[in-house]
Amino acid sequence: MPQYTLTYFDIEALGEPIRMLLSYGKIPFTDNRIDFEKDWAKFKAAMPMGQLPILEIDGKVMYQSMAISRYLAKQVGLSGANDLENYEIDNAADNINDFRAKIASAAYESHEEAKQHKYEILKKETIPFFLNKLDKIAEENNGHFALKKLTWADLYFTGLINYLNFIAQEDLLANHSNLRKVVENTHAAPGIKEWVAKRPKSNR
Amino acid sequence: MPQYTLTYFDIEALGEPIRMLLSYGKIPFTDNRIDFEKDWAKFKAAMPMGQLPILEIDGKVMYQSMAISRYLAKQVGLSGANDLENYEIDNAADNINDFRAKIASAAYESHEEAKQHKYEILKKETIPFFLNKLDKIAEENNGHFALKKLTWADLYFTGLINYLNFIAQEDLLANHSNLRKVVENTHAAPGIKEWVAKRPKSNR
């Protein structure tokens, strides 16, 4: 069996959908966690685009977490049965990624005044807009994001949610029961259930 | 044959990779262009995520330009032959999209001081970093972004390039001959050549 090594920081965030996909597929992997403070500076320049996560499969280095997730989903049976089904999953994942990017643009803003302004817009407009849209999609898909069943879009959202809560500075699921169902359904899936029970604790 | 209608603004930007994919596939489409100033406000609320482009295929509304592009690429023969090849294309497209997002975060910054700072970082660090990385990838792939042949990642970059130049406020291809080759190779492809000759002129 090929050797899988995921290298990421000691948090969930963009590494967690990949850890969940591997766990769902019962694929053993080395969960290599880089100490951001101590070790990241010396790793960064060697990374393909100066970023993590990377996934090594028998030494082949893969990067870009969504591209990796889509690839792994094919291997473990969490993608669609045809091109149109795969479009539906990709569409959902892109919506989630747009939401992530909007929150991140406030969280990582370095100019203090601009940052405050971004969080105001986020709280007043962007977060309610996305949560209502995403919750409705989850409702229409019976507690999933696409195809009324578990797909990698659900794992992508569920893997990211603690991190999204952290950078949004609020509990994004508090008033959206269909999004909570996506997370519950994903956490209940075989392989993921065991992973979530044993994974290192993280607040993001 | 199904009816295709692409609805976007009267510019290239995120609509253009889709127009190029349809053109490459010799798929006739209605090129519906919304006047941003006059008509966008009344359309916006009716769009699935308040955004364009959307592609309608016999009335079915598709959105998220990357998900649409990946789907169309499958139909017109610009995707990979297997999961790993598709990962390579997705990886390249995500790199390009990251580059787009970095430039956009400066271009659409509303706080004047923060915007100036973002453009400084962009010009000094981010743009050179991405251009060097992307140019090297294009060199390794003989004037393409993946698999040493034309894929939808090439169309994604080529469709976006005028818009990227516009928001970056510089000619991104000036000193990167391998990236110029990607654009030349894409413009020379059957269907795209004819489209580029007849498309409405746009500076972005």
Side-chain angles (χ1 to χ4, degrees):
Chain A
M1 192 163 194
Q3 296 293 310
Y4 290 75
T5 301
L6 176 74
T7 300
Y8 193 54
F9 305 111
D10 188 20
I11 57 174
E12 295 170 8
L14 290 170
E16 199 64 13
I18 299 171
R19 296 186 188 114
M20 285 183 165
L21 278 154
L22 293 166
S23 300
Y24 180 86
K26 312 268 164 59
I27 298 171
F29 66 101
T30 302
D31 188 21
N32 184 29
R33 291 168 181 251
I34 300 282
D35 188 314
F36 184 82
E37 307 289 330
K38 266 174 50 193
D39 297 323
W40 176 230
K42 65 175 183 253
F43 273 95
K44 186 173 172 60
M47 295 299 105
M49 293 295 285
Q51 292 188 309
L52 293 178
I54 61 164
L55 177 67
E56 290 166 273
I57 305 183
D58 279 346
K60 180 188 163 60
V61 177
M62 304 175 83
Y63 63 102
Q64 284 291 2
S65 61
M66 293 186 79
I68 295 172
S69 296
R70 191 177 297 103
Y71 171 79
L72 288 177
K74 290 267 185 184
Q75 316 311 310
V76 305
L78 287 174
S79 56
N82 54 50
D83 298 342
L84 204 54
E85 286 196 3
N86 281 320
Y87 156 78
E88 298 288 351
I89 302 169
D90 289 345
N91 170 284
D94 284 348
N95 285 337
I96 295 160
N97 195 47
D98 280 356
F99 188 35
R100 180 198 61 73
K102 294 274 187 191
I103 303 170
S105 81
Y108 298 116
E109 174 60 58
S110 60
H111 189 288
E112 199 46 49
E113 200 177 86
K115 185 181 185 122
Q116 278 181 29
H117 179 66
K118 284 198 172 67
Y119 267 109
E120 273 169 40
I121 305 276
L122 208 57
K123 299 284 176 184
K124 203 163 58 179
E125 295 173 18
T126 318
I127 288 178
F129 176 84
F130 270 90
L131 287 179
N132 288 338
K133 292 280 185 184
L134 294 176
D135 195 75
K136 191 153 190 300
I137 292 169
E139 184 180 17
E140 288 162 0
N141 285 282
N142 299 342
H144 297 287
F145 275 121
L147 313 180
K148 297 188 167 63
K149 65 176 184 181
L150 192 73
T151 69
W152 72 269
D154 296 342
L155 277 63
Y156 189 61
F157 182 78
T158 302
L160 287 178
I161 191 63
N162 282 343
Y163 167 71
L164 294 180
N165 286 338
F166 181 82
I167 60 174
Q169 305 179 354
E170 67 174 79
D171 177 4
L172 297 166
L173 304 182
N175 301 308
H176 291 85
S177 60
N178 295 293
L179 294 179
R180 280 202 304 277
K181 270 183 211 157
V182 171
V183 172
E184 287 163 14
N185 287 335
T186 306
H187 280 174
I192 296 176
K193 190 183 163 120
E194 293 75 11
W195 166 252
V196 170
K198 77 175 184 188
R199 70 181 174 186
K201 294 281 166 275
S202 170
N203 66 343
R204 62 190 129 140
Chain B
M1 192 165 195
Q3 296 292 309
Y4 289 76
T5 300
L6 177 75
T7 299
Y8 193 55
F9 305 113
D10 188 19
I11 57 174
E12 295 170 9
L14 291 170
E16 199 63 13
I18 299 172
R19 295 186 188 114
M20 286 183 165
L21 278 155
L22 292 166
S23 301
Y24 180 86
K26 311 271 163 59
I27 299 171
F29 65 100
T30 302
D31 187 22
N32 184 30
R33 291 168 181 251
I34 301 282
D35 187 315
F36 184 81
E37 306 289 331
K38 267 173 52 195
D39 297 323
W40 176 230
K42 65 176 186 258
F43 274 94
K44 187 174 171 61
M47 295 301 103
M49 292 296 283
Q51 291 187 309
L52 293 178
I54 62 165
L55 177 68
E56 291 166 271
I57 305 182
D58 280 347
K60 178 186 165 61
V61 176
M62 304 175 84
Y63 63 103
Q64 283 292 1
S65 61
M66 293 186 79
I68 293 172
S69 296
R70 191 178 295 103
Y71 172 80
L72 288 177
K74 289 267 186 187
Q75 316 311 309
V76 305
L78 287 174
S79 56
N82 55 50
D83 297 342
L84 204 54
E85 287 196 3
N86 281 319
Y87 155 78
E88 298 288 350
I89 303 170
D90 289 346
N91 169 284
D94 284 348
N95 285 339
I96 296 161
N97 195 48
D98 280 356
F99 188 36
R100 179 199 61 74
K102 294 277 187 189
I103 303 170
S105 81
Y108 299 116
E109 174 59 60
S110 60
H111 190 288
E112 198 45 50
E113 201 177 89
K115 184 181 186 123
Q116 278 180 29
H117 180 68
K118 284 197 172 69
Y119 267 109
E120 273 168 39
I121 305 276
L122 209 56
K123 300 283 175 185
K124 203 163 57 181
E125 295 172 16
T126 319
I127 287 178
F129 176 84
F130 270 91
L131 287 179
N132 288 338
K133 293 280 187 185
L134 294 176
D135 195 74
K136 191 154 190 302
I137 293 168
E139 184 180 17
E140 288 163 0
N141 285 281
N142 299 343
H144 297 286
F145 275 120
L147 313 181
K148 298 188 168 66
K149 64 175 187 181
L150 192 73
T151 69
W152 72 269
D154 295 342
L155 277 63
Y156 189 62
F157 181 77
T158 302
L160 287 178
I161 191 62
N162 282 342
Y163 167 72
L164 294 181
N165 286 338
F166 182 83
I167 61 174
Q169 305 179 356
E170 68 175 80
D171 177 5
L172 296 167
L173 304 182
N175 302 309
H176 290 85
S177 60
N178 296 293
L179 295 178
R180 280 202 304 277
K181 271 184 211 156
V182 172
V183 172
E184 287 162 14
N185 287 335
T186 306
H187 280 174
I192 296 176
K193 191 182 162 117
E194 294 76 11
W195 166 252
V196 169
K198 77 176 185 190
R199 70 181 174 186
K201 293 280 165 278
S202 170
N203 67 343
R204 60 191 133 141

